[in-house]
Amino acid sequence: MGEVRVYIHTSCYSSYSVVKYLNSKGLLGKVRLVNVVNPLVAIYDNVISVPWVTVDGEPVATDPVSGSEIEGIIRGDYRASIGDPVKAFLDAVLSSSYASSIALLHGSLRPLILEFFVKAAIRYPYSGLDVGSVLDSLREEASSLYESLEFSLAKVVSVAYIRELYWASKRSIAVDSIKSRIDEVSLTLWLLAKASIGRAGIPVDPVAGINRDGVALTVSILEASWEKILDRVKREQEAIYSDREYIDISLKSI
């Protein structure tokens, strides 16, 4: 078994769950935890989502990923049971606010159909699936897959938007403050920043190229559900930042 790296971020609940599991099993000493606080680390290592798992630099898993899966990778007895590889890829997209934002901004999954992301999503090489065949299927079905996924993407983006409003307001966001920021201009501004790195990732025409229907759909979800989303965000973040042991572990991985 080569070097197993598990990329995390302190604020991520999936990262929290994975770290807690590995710690309970005494396995943290068997992996290298990498906290992607520095965005250049994520860019250099092709990390599009967290948790993200590599073995000797090759992507082998990404969220949704369980601690028991990573335990199997560490112990060398992991056998992935993926089922439909296309669904596995879509699940990986929906488990990443960054990937979901890219898809929603462009109104397309095509920017995400990349070999390294597909490898992580389908648990290559543990699943025995052929990466090339999965890539071909995704490219052929990209338009119809996006159409079937857009509502789910908008829900993921809605949660990410409220979470970042919560952070920006120092965890004490007021109702009026939220309501004043649920509009298409505010969300589009945030989405352009969320889905890009500098100008990389912005549509060729940053006005005409934006998926305005997707933005409008997300705003409608926010208008109807922001209170429930905020409650969820608060519970998630309070669980993370009240756990001193986890915070100490995550800080050591920066």
Side-chain angles (χ1 to χ4, degrees), residues 27-106:
L27 292 172
L28 286 179
K30 302 287 187 180
V31 302
R32 180 178 172 187
L33 279 186
V34 182
N35 198 327
V36 290
V37 170
N38 184 341
L40 299 183
V41 171
I43 292 169
Y44 185 80
D45 290 347
N46 281 342
V47 176
I48 199 170
S49 180
V50 289
W52 183 270
V53 186
T54 65
V55 177
D56 286 339
E58 284 293 311
V60 298
T62 187
D63 204 29
V65 61
S66 67
S68 60
E69 284 185 275
I70 299 174
E71 179 182 12
I73 292 169
I74 294 166
R75 298 192 188 281
D77 58 6
Y78 178 53
R79 296 293 179 271
S81 179
I82 292 301
D84 181 0
V86 170
K87 182 179 183 302
F89 174 76
L90 299 181
D91 287 345
V93 172
L94 292 173
S95 295
S96 167
S97 61
Y98 178 51
S100 295
S101 297
I102 291 171
L104 191 76
L105 177 68
H106 291 270

Side-chain angles (χ1 to χ4, degrees), residues 39-193:
L40 299 183
V41 171
I43 292 169
Y44 185 80
D45 290 347
N46 281 342
V47 176
I48 199 170
S49 180
V50 289
W52 183 270
V53 186
T54 65
V55 177
D56 286 339
E58 284 293 311
V60 298
T62 187
D63 204 29
V65 61
S66 67
S68 60
E69 284 185 275
I70 299 174
E71 179 182 12
I73 292 169
I74 294 166
R75 298 192 188 281
D77 58 6
Y78 178 53
R79 296 293 179 271
S81 179
I82 292 301
D84 181 0
V86 170
K87 182 179 183 302
F89 174 76
L90 299 181
D91 287 345
V93 172
L94 292 173
S95 295
S96 167
S97 61
Y98 178 51
S100 295
S101 297
I102 291 171
L104 191 76
L105 177 68
H106 291 270
S108 175
L109 292 171
R110 292 187 185 279
L112 301 170
I113 303 174
L114 303 167
E115 184 175 328
F116 74 92
F117 192 22
V118 171
K119 279 184 173 181
I122 67 171
R123 307 301 193 254
Y124 178 84
Y126 302 102
S127 63
L129 292 166
D130 181 73
V131 178
S133 295
V134 178
L135 284 165
D136 288 343
S137 295
L138 288 168
R139 288 169 182 147
E140 288 172 10
E141 301 175 49
S143 296
S144 61
L145 288 171
Y146 178 83
E147 289 175 10
S148 69
L149 204 67
E150 187 172 63
F151 184 75
S152 296
L153 290 166
K155 288 173 67 176
V156 171
V157 169
S158 297
V159 174
Y161 186 63
I162 294 295
R163 184 185 295 118
E164 295 186 16
L165 280 176
Y166 174 77
W167 289 337
S169 64
K170 303 178 183 178
R171 302 189 178 103
S172 59
I173 191 162
V175 170
D176 289 345
S177 181
I178 291 181
K179 288 182 175 179
S180 69
R181 289 172 173 81
I182 297 178
D183 64 84
E184 293 187 18
V185 172
S186 296
L187 182 65
T188 301
L189 176 64
W190 174 87
L191 195 59
L192 282 165

